[in-house]
Amino acid sequence: MMNTCHYRPTTAVVHKDALQSNIQSLRSYLKKETAIIAVVKANGYGHGIVEVAQVALEAGAKMVSVATPDEAILLREKGIESDILVMAPTTVAFAEKAADLGITVTVSDALWLQKVMPKTRHWKNRLKIHVKIDCGMGRVGVRDQASLLSIIQLIQEDEQFQLEGAFTHFPCADDGCIETTKLHFDKFKEMLQVFPEKPKLVHASNSAATLLYPEYGLDAVRFGIGLYGIAPSREVQEKLPFPLVPALSLESELSFVKKVEKGQAISYGATYTTETEEWIGTLPIGYADGLKRGLRGQEVLIQGERMPIVGTICMDQCMVRLPREMPVGEKVVLIGKQGKEEVLIEEWAERIHTIPYEIAVSISERVQRIYE
Ligand SMILES: *Cc1c(COP(=O)(O)O)cnc(C)c1O
């Protein structure tokens, strides 16, 4: 979104063909009647919300979904014409804007509808609604049949409300153990009985459930992390029905190279001391770019070889131990492939005990995105 740093060689290269390939593989894996909702929240998991939405829709996604009203508005402003679902509750104030822009809202609360109803009369467009059902996630969603019925009745009472869909979200699909997810799915089906008529678009699965349990595909799946070529968890990675192609590489260049004698400290806190005479390279990337401080020791790729980040990672720079002298300007791959070596986002995530999602969204705006 923000390309501010054209003179700094630290870039996130987003491979559009990888995004396409992941959508196309998914398309052929799913049943014909199951649509793909491309999840592009959080700036397309760091890959660029507008670009990812465009590529995904061209490659066969039917609609996109986001987490916030602003993300949806941005997509409309940038010319995305597909349906756009905001998957979280929104304020009453957003309802008219959503109707105006044809943005689909998520409703799981009768009170929200009651507060919006007195304002709908002068609207030019109807408001598209998906009802959210909580089957075990415990985040948002209607949890019992009586409340669901009153929501459906309120929607029917106002001509300006248009019930388009119903969905739930699985909390445990990525652990690879089907029992819990089956319980949640059964509860969802039970709740769906309350609808006098099946809503047009009923959906439940995130990437993990989509990949592991195609039988829960229904009318659509919400495909997020998998779209970016990243497995939701190790358990899912081991059972992938088709290969996922990572869409992002994080690249930089050596900005400074020096020979250091044995016993010299490197970086803040002197946490690393050279063990012999060493070549140390500096990279223009640090924790303000998303290279978290905990990633000290993580290997990067230069000339097709792995070499470690040494010393404390600074806000804007870090140091690596080179096996020999290398020139300033030499290409460095922090995430992605070089020669026979590859560093996956998953490797970073494991090193700092988090999930790959968090790594992807942490690559900050300061890092220029390049689309190839
Ligand atoms: C983020 C999100 C998704 C996408 O999840 P992935 O694991 O990235 O596929 C799906 N549904 C909801 C409600 C979400 O918030």
Side-chain angles (χ1 to χ4, degrees):
M1 281 203 296
M2 189 180 77
N3 289 342
T4 48
C5 210
H6 300 283
Y7 296 104
R8 189 184 188 221
T10 298
T11 54
V13 181
V14 178
H15 309 281
K16 289 185 177 179
D17 55 347
L19 298 168
Q20 271 161 2
S21 152
N22 295 324
I23 289 281
Q24 284 159 2
S25 303
L26 176 62
R27 192 54 277 159
S28 24
Y29 170 69
L30 291 173
K31 282 192 261 170
K32 252 212 177 75
E33 60 271 25
T34 305
I36 299 170
I37 302 173
V39 183
V40 298
K41 62 187 177 188
N43 194 28
Y45 292 44
H47 293 61
I49 184 167
V50 178
E51 292 82 356
V52 173
Q54 281 164 345
V55 174
L57 289 165
E58 274 168 31
K62 176 195 164 86
M63 61 185 280
V64 297
S65 70
V66 295
T68 74
D70 292 292
E71 292 170 340
I73 293 168
L74 175 72
L75 286 173
R76 272 286 179 269
E77 282 172 352
K78 297 288 181 184
I80 299 293
E81 289 175 354
S82 73
D83 277 333
I84 303 171
L85 170 66
V86 180
M87 297 182 291
T90 51
T91 57
V92 170
F94 177 61
E96 179 168 5
K97 184 78 175 169
D100 205 33
L101 294 177
I103 291 167
T104 310
V105 296
T106 292
V107 171
S108 44
D109 174 10
L111 197 58
W112 188 91
L113 292 166
Q114 284 163 342
K115 286 183 187 159
V116 171
M117 275 165 102
K119 306 166 190 269
T120 61
R121 281 182 76 183
H122 66 279
W123 288 1
K124 291 193 289 292
N125 301 316
R126 302 175 73 196
L127 178 64
K128 293 183 270 191
I129 295 173
H130 285 208
V131 175
K132 178 75 184 284
I133 296 167
D134 182 6
C135 300
M137 175 73 184
R139 184 168 61 182
V140 292
V142 53
R143 290 168 70 92
D144 65 88
Q145 299 204 341
S147 312
L148 177 56
L149 188 61
S150 60
I151 287 172
I152 296 168
Q153 283 165 347
L154 281 169
I155 294 173
Q156 285 170 339
E157 256 173 56
D158 192 323
E159 285 249 304
Q160 296 282 43
F161 293 147
Q162 190 175 349
L163 178 60
E164 290 233 310
F167 71 109
T168 191
H169 188 52
F170 296 132
C172 302
D174 63 347
D175 69 9
C177 152
I178 192 168
E179 281 77 24
T180 323
T181 301
K182 184 172 185 316
L183 284 179
H184 296 149
F185 186 70
D186 291 344
K187 162 125 198 248
F188 184 47
K189 280 202 299 194
E190 215 178 281
M191 293 286 277
L192 289 173
Q193 307 284 320
V194 176
F195 288 88
E197 218 182 302
K198 184 190 102 52
K200 211 167 65 188
L201 212 63
V202 176
H203 49 110
S205 293
N206 55 6
S207 295
T210 301
L211 294 164
L212 296 183
Y213 317 125
E215 66 273 26
Y216 297 161
L218 307 175
D219 300 321
V221 295
R222 298 184 309 278
F223 202 55
I225 197 83
L227 163 59
Y228 306 95
I230 302 166
S233 65
R234 189 181 265 280
E235 289 76 5
V236 180
Q237 193 161 29
E238 282 164 8
K239 297 183 199 163
L240 286 179
F242 55 83
L244 293 173
V245 187
L248 183 141
S249 343
L250 184 59
E251 302 176 356
S252 192
E253 290 177 8
L254 289 175
S255 60
F256 189 76
V257 176
K258 60 184 175 286
K259 187 152 78 172
V260 178
E261 310 95 81
K262 178 180 170 169
Q264 296 296 303
I266 300 291
S267 198
Y268 288 121
T271 57
Y272 178 78
T273 306
T274 52
E275 284 166 12
T276 97
E277 188 177 83
E278 290 175 12
W279 284 96
I280 297 291
T282 303
L283 307 184
I285 182 169
Y287 62 79
D289 302 294
L291 182 70
K292 306 215 174 218
R293 283 176 90 244
L295 286 165
R296 189 172 105 198
Q298 170 63 44
E299 290 170 328
V300 305
L301 308 179
I302 309 179
Q303 296 180 355
E305 293 168 52
R306 283 179 172 257
M307 48 208 76
I309 297 172
V310 293
T312 304
I313 293 172
C314 313
M315 187 184 286
D316 321 295
Q317 306 180 72
C318 69
M319 274 61 83
V320 294
R321 187 177 64 224
L322 309 176
R324 58 188 166 274
E325 183 177 10
M326 289 179 177
V328 165
E330 186 68 29
K331 186 170 168 179
V332 180
V333 173
L334 291 107
I335 294 171
K337 259 192 200 156
Q338 196 185 50
K340 292 196 185 99
E341 289 287 351
E342 183 169 23
V343 177
L344 295 174
I345 281 190
E346 287 92 325
E347 182 181 333
W348 282 30
E350 275 183 28
R351 176 170 285 271
I352 59 169
H353 312 290
T354 184
I355 53 174
Y357 298 73
E358 193 182 352
I359 302 288
V361 301
S362 298
I363 298 171
S364 71
E365 280 201 25
R366 190 166 79 175
V367 178
Q368 190 191 358
R369 267 64 171 175
I370 293 177
Y371 295 87
E372 285 186 359

